[in-house]
């Protein structure tokens, strides 16, 4: 593979033992990077590996490159596109549906977005309001809006990604997986992970990648840096008469509505996925699996006003997911807590999209290889907690 994903760029001369708390996409891919470089990994999670309740676990995630006003992130996303193609080959699994991505925006902004993508090496074209209405009459774009179409984009089948990673690790001689073993604390000075059953996992390096549960493991000063979000999503079966049109639809990251509506088309046997920025809210703690009826009805009303012919009997499932974001940036947070002890608090779908780049960078930091620059500010300039013993405290209700 040209860029070397799952083949680390260098060896440090010592076999490292890396302990990972968490079983989502970041922890799994980082573990694969480490074992591929000849290191040993021990991975513990509160439930199954992969865990269907984790933020990473879903039927699909959108992969697109456009980050308006941010050339570095746009270029990084183009690199991520190629990395996922390489990972498909490395893991011998099909999980990237390259259906492209459409982002609605005012027509006078579309040309600049196209040029940004082109400069980053991605194929892009501008579609006017008339072209959108003609090509995608079923999708519900707000009348008068334009869009940018990215060809090097599409849908990642997230559950297949996680299953492929866990399967590869399960059979790797240098990997130990410990499902149903809850992490309740991490000692950054000793590079130790403490489990709810009283056991301790020791390593040369530690990564805490516990998704929305990360705050339970962090010292208060760091925990307060993170805000918990909850997002509601609808999953729908489209009518048979519309199936062909929906099968030819790209991922749509914005329909141009005031509420930030977006959708993921039904690909590879998955349902149509609908949500909106207006269905994302800040919460104090992780809630149950049941979607509150108010938020379900909010999304049903939102898409009934956008998608022609949409009816509530399309609905086959609903789901809420939780994710953390750093308070000051609304993005992910990488914190250096000790010598080769890291915490990575993920930020929803954006971290999944960049996961191969993130994992490569984290693996290098954990094993002492040369730093891998990603172009992503939170990865390249982490939050460093200098001095002070035990930057991560034992949690009263921690999980992996």
């Amino acid at each position: 593979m040209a860029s070397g994903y799952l083949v680390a760029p260098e060896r440090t001369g010592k076999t490292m033992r890396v302990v990972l708390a968490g079983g989502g996409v970041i922890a799994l891919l980082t573990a694969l990077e480490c074992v591929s470089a000849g290191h040993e990994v021990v991975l513990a999670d509160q439930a199954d590996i992969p865990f269907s309740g984790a933020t990473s676990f879903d039927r699909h995630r959108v992969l697109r490159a456009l980050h308006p006003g941010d050339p570095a992130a746009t270029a990084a996303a183009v690199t991520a596109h190629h990395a996922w193609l390489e990972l498909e080959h490395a893991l011998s699994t099909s999980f990237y549906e390259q259906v492209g991505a459409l982002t609605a925006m005012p027509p006078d902004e579309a040309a600049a977005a196209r040029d940004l993508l082109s400069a980053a090496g991605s194929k892009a074209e501008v579609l006017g309001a008339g072209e959108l209405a003609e090509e995608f009459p079923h999708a519900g774009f707000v009348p008068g809006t334009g869009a940018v179409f990215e060809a090097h984009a599409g849908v990642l089948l997230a559950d297949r990604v996680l299953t492929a990673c866990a399967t590869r690790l399960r059979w790797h001689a240098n990997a130990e997986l410990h499902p149903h073993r809850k992490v309740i604390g991490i000692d950054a000075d000793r590079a130790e992970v403490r489990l709810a059953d009283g056991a301790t996992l020791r390593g040369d390096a530690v990564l805490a990648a516990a998704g929305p549960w990360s705050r339970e493991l962090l010292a208060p000063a760091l925990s307060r840096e993170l805000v918990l979000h909850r997002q509601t999503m609808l999953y729908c079966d489209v009518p048979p008469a519309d199936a062909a049109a929906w099968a030819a639809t790209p991922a749509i990251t914005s329909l141009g509505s005031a509420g930030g509506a977006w959708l993921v088309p039904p690909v590879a046997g998955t349902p149509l996925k609908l949500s909106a920025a207006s269905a994302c809210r800040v919460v104090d703690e992780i809630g149950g699996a049941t979607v509150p009826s108010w938020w379900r009805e909010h999304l049903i009303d939102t898409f009934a006003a956008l998608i022609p012919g949409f009816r509530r009997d399309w609905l086959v499932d609903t789901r809420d997911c939780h994710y953390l974001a750093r308070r000051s940036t609304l993005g992910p947070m990488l914190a250096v807590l000790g010598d080769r002890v890291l915490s990575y608090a993920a930020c929803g779908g954006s971290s999944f999209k960049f996961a191969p780049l993130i994992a490569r960078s984290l693996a290098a930091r954990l094993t002492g290889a040369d730093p891998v620059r990603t172009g992503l500010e939170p990865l390249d300039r982490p939050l460093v907690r200098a001095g002070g013993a035990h930057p991560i405290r034992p949690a009263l209700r921690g999980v992996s």
Side-chain angles (χ1 to χ4, degrees), residues 257 259-261 275-276 278 297-307 310:
S257 67
S275 193
S278 59
E297 295 303 316
H298 166 69
L299 285 178
I300 289 173
D301 291 344
T302 294
F303 285 95
L306 288 170
I307 295 177
F310 178 84

Side-chain angles (χ1 to χ4, degrees), residues 44-56:
D45 192 81
Q46 63 175 321
D48 294 329
I49 302 175
F51 173 32
S52 61
T55 294
S56 303

Side-chain angles (χ1 to χ4, degrees), residues 35-52:
V35 297
S36 296
H39 301 289
E40 299 174 356
V41 300
V42 181
L43 188 149
D45 192 81
Q46 63 175 321
D48 294 329
I49 302 175
F51 173 32
S52 61

